[in-house]
Amino acid sequence: NSLLLITYKMPLLQPPPAKYGGRHTVTLIPGDGIGPELLNHVREVFRFSCVPVDFEVVHVNSAVETEDDINNAITAIRRNGVALKGNIETKHTMAPSVKSRNNLLRTSLDLYANVMHCQSLPGVQTRHKNIDIMIIRENTEGEYSSLEHESVSGVVESLKIITRNNSLRIADYAFKLAREKGRRRVTAVHKANIMKLGDGLFLQCCREVASGYPDITFDSMIVDNTTMQLVSKPQQFDVMVMPNLYGNVVSNVCAGLVGGPGLVPGANYGHVYAVFETATRNTGKSIANRNIANPTAMLLASCMMLDHLKLYDHASSIRNAILNTMNETRLHTADIGGQGTTSEVVQTIMRFIQSKGQLTSEY
Amino acid sequence: MAAGSAWRSMLSQVVGGAVRRPALSSFSRGMQTVTLIPGDGIGPEISSAVMKIFETAKAPIRWEERNVTAIKGPGGRWMIPPDAKESMDKSKIGLKGPLKTPIAAGHPSMNLLLRKTFDLYANVRPCISIEGYKTPYTDVNLVTIRENTEGEYSGIEHVIVDGVVQSIKLITEDASRRIAEYAFEYARNNQRNSVTAVHKANIMRMSDGLFLRKCREVAENYKDIKFTEMYLDTVCLNMVQDPTQFDVLVMPNLYGDILSDLCAGLIGGLGVTPSGNIGANGVAIFESVHGTAPDIAGLDLANPTALLLSAVMMLRHMGLHDYGNKIQTACFDTIRDKKVLTKDLGGNSKCSEFTADICRRIQDLD
């Protein structure tokens, strides 16, 4: 029912209200594992480059059962409008009623679109080249509804919810973004041959929205075939839109294809709020505090955030420095086959920014 | 070459101990009956290719061809034809070509029916790089074991209110335990070192949590096998970067569907991937997992490799290792030689030419 679409204003995301004296305030959630150290590096680079952003740090303790911490974080994000976060661990030893904090954050703030842009980087060795895929994943419902019950002992039911509203919303986001970025084709990924009603509804909504964008080709592909195609011929894909779980699989496959979790930034957009993080949301416990994590993904995420805040010059400057370090200087961390430490990479990035003659502070 | 011999030993192990041997009365002295379901589309031609190759190899198999197009039984329930069921119950072993899933025929997919009829609870797909068929990934050597009866494919969906649909994912203790036990048994019988449970228990706390708990419990009884757990997204991420780190993977239905196809993609696609379905009561049905390819049906262009390799899996399951080895060697030599390849493998020969080449090699091997 496309009348419903009219009542949905697709607002141009305005920069958030928390802007005083020309400086923005952004909520920062360190999270667990490599989150804290990577975010410290972001702060270091911002401070060095005199970026007019102040961070309000909110800690979320993943070891406690109460939801006070995450609620505080959510309130802070409502106040500031924008956040940068590390992944918060979900401990299996706790009761099933303790839900994933990351998921709570996404659903409470209605961050319905998870956007990830996977591009082959010339400086990184991968099996496949020339990949340029935008993945738009529905971020609030589907298999991540956290609705489960044990009706009979030993039998657990988990509900996957697909709604018309959210499917239309995400499809619309995908097509709008495709048009904005000059992309030619949108592919919907689904399993409607098995989940006829659920994924069938999603697919139908995508088709409806597609009819309003005749300049963009629309097709669909079943998720298992999609993964097979991705590992053999990933260059065939342009923009992909899908429900939550398939988005999880496809985004991780694509991140792996372009070089791994340390390279790709991710963004979660809602109508009002935006939260930026690494695309594959890894906690990275095994590499935490060893100065070996790749800072690229988080730094690029912070650049996406700067674009969102309309601080385009700062975003470009930092992004160019990162890409230069990656592709020209070729200083790589271990995950992409190099021997550099995290701090070495960050310092090289800062030196490059300084060399471009912009205003920087002492370092 | 390492990959080739790994493949050989792998395949010989794959089904060797994978199933508790059923009571094989007519076994290994005379001919063993196998129910053959040619299937639709290219099914009949690749089935006859396999039969021809088996005949050349003089394998002691008597094929009983059956059709499994669903019919309506008493009480209005869809079921497979009784003669097909009877044949499978007696022979316990089946080889199946691709079946088309009807869109509006009113009955469920045949694959689903077969699964339900014989309680085919485990889908086993060994994915091993084929020497001579180049893909960006070399040295892949892993096995995906997928729970095949429940999970996201329960088929239970409702429209709650207009515009809101709910699909139910079902995880039960019994099915989870059964598949975990199968995975560990398999690993033990095939000299595999580790079993990894793939899940998303951070999001689906109760359902995947239950699956994981059962895997952990079963792992206690198999201390000789290393047990690890990994999130589905981490597996996907690592799989496309370095598939050599994986050994045996066990998982619920949907993740299994996606991952087994992902792994098939790593080694070259569904046209070269074998698959076996293990059921309760010693039933095992081996199948090619590609589609019916209606566009090339009847044109002698199809590639019989997938069905042939599944048939080899079947031979090893039945203890007929020598025949299995011979046929497999001939098949791989043909592919490695690159002279008579079907279109999907990069050549432009016909199916009959490909088959004839394999037959010739088998005769030469004798």
Side-chain angles (χ1 to χ4, degrees), chain A residues 2 6 17 31 40 46 73 136 150 162 188 215 237 277 290 308 316:
Chain A
S2 44
I6 295 171
N40 278 341
F46 276 26
I136 293 141
E150 190 165 358
I162 300 277
D215 52 322
F237 295 105
E277 55 179 350
R290 287 165 55 188
H308 177 77
S316 300

Side-chain angles (χ1 to χ4, degrees), chain B residues 149-296:
Chain B
T149 60
E150 55 176 26
E152 300 81 349
Y153 294 5
S154 57
I156 311 171
E157 295 186 292
H158 323 280
V159 179
I160 312 279
V161 292
D162 190 30
V164 179
V165 174
Q166 162 188 304
S167 303
I168 297 190
K169 161 178 164 163
L170 207 60
I171 298 280
T172 61
E173 220 176 277
D174 291 338
S176 305
R177 192 188 315 113
R178 186 165 65 165
I179 194 70
E181 269 168 7
Y182 179 78
F184 280 95
E185 256 323 300
Y186 175 96
R188 190 177 264 173
N189 293 332
N190 292 285
Q191 287 87 50
R192 307 295 289 196
N193 303 321
S194 71
V195 172
T196 305
V198 181
H199 65 99
K200 271 220 75 73
N202 52 344
I203 301 292
M204 287 176 260
R205 303 298 307 274
M206 285 178 78
S207 42
D208 282 357
L210 173 60
F211 179 81
L212 208 52
R213 260 199 324 276
K214 289 297 137 200
C215 288
R216 284 182 192 142
E217 280 172 27
V218 173
E220 293 297 308
N221 299 331
Y222 291 83
K223 293 283 199 215
D224 51 324
I225 314 256
K226 182 162 163 248
F227 173 66
T228 48
E229 320 169 347
M230 210 184 256
Y231 287 137
L232 173 66
D233 38 3
T234 314
V235 173
C236 289
L237 189 57
N238 293 340
M239 183 73 75
V240 299
Q241 292 178 72
D242 179 23
T244 60
Q245 62 188 278
F246 295 104
D247 194 350
V248 177
L249 298 164
V250 64
M251 58 211 119
N253 216 334
L254 176 67
Y255 314 151
D257 193 7
I258 298 175
L259 271 180
S260 56
D261 277 1
L262 178 67
C263 296
L266 297 177
I267 62 168
L270 297 181
V272 294
T273 307
S275 173
N277 296 292
I278 311 298
N281 304 319
V283 170
I285 301 185
F286 301 86
E287 60 176 353
S288 60
V289 287
H290 51 69
T292 53
D295 48 334
I296 57 168

Side-chain angles (χ1 to χ4, degrees), chain A residues 16-224:
Chain A
K19 187 178 180 187
Y20 301 103
R23 296 185 68 81
H24 296 269
T25 307
V26 169
T27 307
L28 188 95
I29 304 170
D32 301 306
I34 50 174
E37 66 192 85
L38 293 182
L39 289 167
N40 278 341
H41 287 303
V42 170
R43 283 196 275 186
E44 199 183 329
V45 174
F46 276 26
R47 198 164 38 233
F48 178 75
S49 313
C50 303
V51 175
V53 167
D54 294 314
F55 286 109
E56 182 190 346
V57 181
V58 183
H59 291 278
V60 177
N61 188 347
S62 53
V64 295
E65 292 209 5
T66 66
E67 296 187 353
D68 292 341
D69 276 357
I70 191 67
N71 286 335
N72 286 341
I74 292 170
T75 309
I77 301 176
R78 285 194 211 276
R79 190 169 46 239
N80 296 324
V82 176
L84 189 60
K85 75 182 267 290
N87 201 44
I88 305 164
E89 192 191 346
T90 308
K91 290 186 163 34
H92 291 184
T93 47
M94 307 184 91
S97 52
V98 179
K99 301 203 193 301
S100 156
R101 301 298 181 230
N102 306 300
N103 203 24
L104 271 175
L105 202 141
R106 292 189 292 263
T107 49
S108 310
L109 297 169
D110 200 25
L111 301 170
Y112 65 91
N114 178 260
V115 180
M116 180 174 151
H117 188 184
C118 277
Q119 270 176 305
S120 291
L121 294 172
V124 182
Q125 271 281 65
T126 52
R127 289 182 178 85
H128 307 269
K129 311 261 174 264
N130 298 323
I131 298 175
D132 191 349
I133 305 175
M134 291 206 79
I135 299 169
I136 293 141
R137 159 189 177 186
E138 206 294 322
N139 215 9
T140 55
E141 58 175 23
E143 299 81 349
Y144 288 44
S145 322
S146 302
L147 294 166
E148 299 182 290
H149 52 248
E150 190 165 358
S151 34
V152 172
S153 169
V155 177
V156 175
E157 284 186 354
S158 174
L159 306 183
K160 162 179 166 166
I161 311 284
I162 300 277
T163 62
R164 198 174 164 66
N165 281 1
N166 290 347
S167 303
L168 284 173
R169 188 165 70 160
I170 195 69
D172 200 52
Y173 189 94
F175 277 90
K176 279 221 162 60
L177 192 65
R179 187 174 265 172
E180 188 188 306
K181 303 279 179 189
R183 313 287 283 209
R184 310 271 74 235
R185 198 169 124 236
V186 173
T187 307
V189 178
H190 65 97
K191 191 89 192 161
N193 51 339
I194 302 288
M195 287 182 254
K196 299 182 166 70
L197 293 183
D199 286 355
L201 175 59
F202 181 82
L203 204 53
Q204 193 191 324
C205 293
C206 288
R207 287 201 182 105
E208 278 177 35
V209 173
S211 59
Y213 292 80
D215 52 322
I216 299 180
T217 316
F218 172 69
D219 56 15
S220 63
M221 199 183 270
I222 300 186
V223 61
D224 35 359

Side-chain angles (χ1 to χ4, degrees), chain A residues 232-243:
Chain A
S232 42
K233 248 186 338 147
Q235 299 81 5
Q236 64 183 287
F237 295 105
D238 191 355
V239 178
M240 300 168 85
V241 64
M242 59 205 89

